[in-house]
Amino acid sequence: MLNRHTVERLVIYNRVLKDLAKKNVKWATSEKIAEILFRSPAQVRKDLSFLGKKGKPGVGYNIRSLIGELDSTLGLRKTWGVALIGAGNLGRALFHYPGFKREGFEFRAIFDNNSSKIGRRWGDITVTPITSLNSVVRKRKINIAVMTVPDYAAQEVADKLTAAGLKELLNFAPVTLNVADNVNVRYADLALELENLSYNLNHRALK
Amino acid sequence: MLNRHTVERLVIYNRVLKDLAKKNVKWATSEKIAEILFRSPAQVRKDLSFLGKKGKPGVGYNIRSLIGELDSTLGLRKTWGVALIGAGNLGRALFHYPGFKREGFEFRAIFDNNSSKIGRRWGDITVTPITSLNSVVRKRKINIAVMTVPDYAAQEVADKLTAAGLKELLNFAPVTLNVADNVNVRYADLALELENLSYNLNHRALK
DNA sequence: CACATATTGTGAAATATTTCACAAATAATA
DNA sequence: TATTATTTGTGAAATATTTCACAATATGTG
Ligand SMILES: NC(=O)c1ccc[n+]([C@@H]2O[C@H](COP(=O)([O-])OP(=O)(O)OC[C@H]3O[C@@H](n4cnc5c(N)ncnc54)[C@H](O)[C@@H]3O)[C@@H](O)[C@H]2O)c1
Ligand SMILES: NC(=O)c1ccc[n+]([C@@H]2O[C@H](COP(=O)([O-])OP(=O)(O)OC[C@H]3O[C@@H](n4cnc5c(N)ncnc54)[C@H](O)[C@@H]3O)[C@@H](O)[C@H]2O)c1
């Protein structure tokens, strides 16, 4: 089991390598990869060494085979079922973004608790009442929940999702969720991203 | 100048404290804050100590005054000007989200390069050709750029933004940007978030 | 095949980050 | 006012992460 930071870098290496592959590059050295990502070659090598030995001394890494290894390790060979919770503005943008499907993440359900949304069709999926969460999660093989509900609803929704057996949550609500140890939450907290930038701005101004 | 990790935690403390303040809580100990965030009290204290001494031994931190201190440090007392680059699906959701304005981030311009988008009005802002970037950035006092352009356009757009003098970018395109040292880029790479979850799923499956 | 060149994989060293642990400070109680 | 119960702020210790540095390995060349 790799640590969180390593996995976060692996997904980025994978992205960079796929980009190079698209440009028909066949081999990459740790130095080349590090340069693109502003990291050290040693770190790239150490991270990649967790995949089993794939590099060739004197040459570097074969991009195609490395991508294969990364895809396997990261679980990107499979297609995962995703449920969207909260059929609002952000949810709509995410749902219609084609990139997720391409990477193996398939929206298979949309939940809301507002009767004005329930029953609407988005593409070929109908917005479903959140009360039918448990059965739909089972029937449509949902693995991941993407939460785009308002802040005040987020904890309650997280409780329902975990009760339905979901263990992987991507939360866009600006709230820290309290979940059991065996549940993973990732936060996509966009306001906090801006606040990090504003710290920099503020600090520049003070100099 | 605080390090990146500390700032990332400070913005979260601020969020938690504002939440407590809303519930009319007046004081919080490092232990209480740590508990909410699944962190250690020592880390909370050390982080907060960078703000100047604010805690009272035996009592904890006065929430209102701590929020004030955090807002100052993080630059949240001011209103910052934000430009949206890419008037697409994701851009629309972000633009219409009222939470940013509330936290001091005000969209003051929308840029696109597609003539079918240019001239449209979103709220009280008109989509502007990207060619007028430089003058608009100056006139409307833009501090931050939020990039919601396609991956293939992202580097080119980043180059234009930095040439226009912008130094704080929030990038949603799934691309690592190559920018000068004095430019800050934060990545909101939503597909990578899902890939991190899929690593966990995959690993659970293997156990 | 010997030699030169390039680059990996990885322990050991160097840095960075987090936690510990306790003196100092505050408040409550008697 | 003295005593007790808390909790801060922070050096020092403990962990964690990153980088260094070099032996081992692959390739190319004459
Ligand atoms: N829109 C953005 O660009 C943006 C940016 C940053 C953060 N966010 C955060 O993302 C979340 C969604 O934002 P949005 O703009 O899409 O909001 P929205 O109001 O457009 O959508 C929220 C949806 O959740 C549904 N909902 C409410 N309570 C529910 C419940 N208990 N169970 C199921 N569904 C429920 C609502 O009916 C609505 O359809 C919010 O937490 C917001 O703070 C959004
Ligand atoms: N929509 C999502 O939920 C989502 C999710 C994850 C990542 N993303 C990423 O966010 C970005 C935007 O996604 P989207 O769904 O909004 O795409 P979109 O196609 O709806 O919008 C992109 C907009 O950028 C404009 N544009 C293109 N080139 C430009 C240029 N050189 N200068 C200025 N404007 C330009 C286009 O005209 C368009 O209006 C993409 O990089 C995408 O990969 C989006």
Side-chain angles (χ1 to χ4, degrees):
Chain A
M1 187 86 179
L2 303 174
N3 74 54
R4 193 168 58 83
H5 293 295
T6 306
V7 177
E8 286 177 351
R9 287 192 300 267
L10 289 181
V11 300
I12 296 176
Y13 299 150
N14 199 25
R15 157 79 48 73
V16 166
L17 291 165
K18 285 177 176 170
D19 203 50
L20 290 172
K22 222 186 288 175
K23 292 175 185 153
N24 254 313
V25 184
K26 300 285 183 243
W27 295 86
T29 64
S30 59
E31 191 167 343
K32 183 67 192 159
I33 297 171
E35 189 193 308
I36 297 172
L37 296 170
F38 304 96
R39 302 188 161 280
S40 80
Q43 181 159 71
V44 172
R45 292 202 297 279
K46 188 151 275 187
D47 286 341
L48 295 181
S49 76
F50 293 122
L51 304 176
K53 306 191 178 175
K54 288 285 136 192
K56 274 197 191 182
V59 181
Y61 298 85
N62 179 282
I63 290 181
R64 181 197 285 267
S65 99
L66 191 51
I67 290 173
E69 208 62 47
L70 282 164
D71 278 350
S72 292
T73 300
L74 298 172
L76 301 176
R77 288 276 170 95
K78 308 169 185 169
T79 297
W80 301 105
V82 180
L84 181 74
I85 329 294
N89 290 314
L90 183 56
R92 184 176 33 227
L94 296 173
F95 180 85
H96 290 107
Y97 176 65
F100 297 138
K101 177 84 171 278
R102 271 203 303 272
E103 306 199 20
F105 300 97
E106 186 176 60
F107 282 108
R108 294 187 186 152
I110 307 168
F111 296 98
D112 209 294
N113 74 340
N114 184 321
S115 57
S116 78
K117 309 254 173 161
I118 291 166
R120 288 200 195 173
R121 288 186 72 78
W122 285 12
D124 51 5
I125 297 186
T126 305
V127 179
T128 307
I130 182 103
T131 46
S132 52
L133 185 68
N134 290 29
S135 67
V136 173
V137 162
R138 228 177 316 111
K139 283 193 208 135
R140 301 198 201 156
K141 300 206 192 327
I142 305 294
N143 307 287
I144 295 173
V146 172
M147 295 176 52
T148 52
V149 296
D151 49 3
Y152 57 80
Q155 181 63 56
E156 176 202 321
V157 165
D159 292 345
K160 288 180 181 159
L161 293 169
T162 54
L166 288 170
K167 296 206 162 35
E168 307 294 336
L169 315 182
L170 176 52
N171 173 40
F172 285 86
V175 174
T176 300
L177 300 175
N178 195 337
V179 296
D181 277 356
N182 65 343
V183 174
N184 271 296
V185 183
R186 288 193 69 92
Y187 294 91
D189 195 323
L190 310 179
L192 292 192
E193 295 297 335
L194 289 176
E195 294 187 11
N196 275 276
L197 294 179
S198 109
Y199 171 80
N200 299 330
L201 278 169
N202 202 34
H203 199 81
R204 278 186 214 277
L206 299 177
K207 264 197 304 201
Chain B
M1 188 82 179
L2 302 174
N3 74 55
R4 195 168 57 85
H5 293 295
T6 306
V7 177
E8 287 177 351
R9 286 193 301 268
L10 289 182
V11 301
I12 296 176
Y13 299 150
N14 198 25
R15 159 77 52 73
V16 167
L17 291 165
K18 284 177 176 170
D19 203 49
L20 290 172
K22 224 188 285 174
K23 293 174 183 152
N24 254 310
V25 183
K26 301 282 183 246
W27 296 86
T29 64
S30 60
E31 191 167 344
K32 182 69 192 158
I33 297 171
E35 188 194 308
I36 296 172
L37 296 170
F38 304 96
R39 302 190 161 278
S40 80
Q43 181 160 71
V44 172
R45 291 201 297 280
K46 187 152 275 184
D47 286 341
L48 295 180
S49 76
F50 294 123
L51 304 175
K53 307 191 177 175
K54 286 287 137 193
K56 272 196 192 182
V59 182
Y61 298 84
N62 179 282
I63 290 181
R64 182 198 286 267
S65 100
L66 191 50
I67 290 173
E69 208 61 46
L70 282 164
D71 278 351
S72 292
T73 301
L74 298 172
L76 301 177
R77 288 275 170 94
K78 308 169 185 166
T79 297
W80 301 105
V82 180
L84 180 74
I85 329 294
N89 290 314
L90 184 57
R92 184 175 36 223
L94 296 173
F95 180 85
H96 289 107
Y97 175 64
F100 297 139
K101 177 83 171 278
R102 273 203 303 273
E103 305 199 20
F105 300 97
E106 187 175 62
F107 283 108
R108 294 185 186 152
I110 307 168
F111 296 98
D112 208 295
N113 73 340
N114 184 320
S115 59
S116 77
K117 309 254 174 165
I118 291 166
R120 288 201 197 174
R121 289 186 73 77
W122 285 13
D124 52 4
I125 297 187
T126 304
V127 180
T128 308
I130 183 104
T131 45
S132 51
L133 186 69
N134 289 29
S135 66
V136 173
V137 162
R138 227 177 318 110
K139 284 193 207 133
R140 301 199 201 156
K141 300 205 193 327
I142 304 293
N143 307 288
I144 295 173
V146 171
M147 295 175 52
T148 52
V149 295
D151 50 3
Y152 58 80
Q155 182 61 56
E156 175 202 322
V157 165
D159 293 344
K160 287 181 181 159
L161 293 170
T162 53
L166 288 171
K167 297 204 160 39
E168 308 293 336
L169 315 182
L170 175 53
N171 174 40
F172 285 85
V175 175
T176 300
L177 301 175
N178 194 338
V179 296
D181 276 356
N182 65 345
V183 175
N184 271 297
V185 183
R186 288 192 68 90
Y187 294 91
D189 195 322
L190 309 179
L192 291 192
E193 296 296 335
L194 290 176
E195 294 187 10
N196 276 277
L197 294 179
S198 109
Y199 171 80
N200 298 330
L201 277 169
N202 202 34
H203 200 81
R204 277 187 216 275
L206 298 177
K207 262 197 305 200

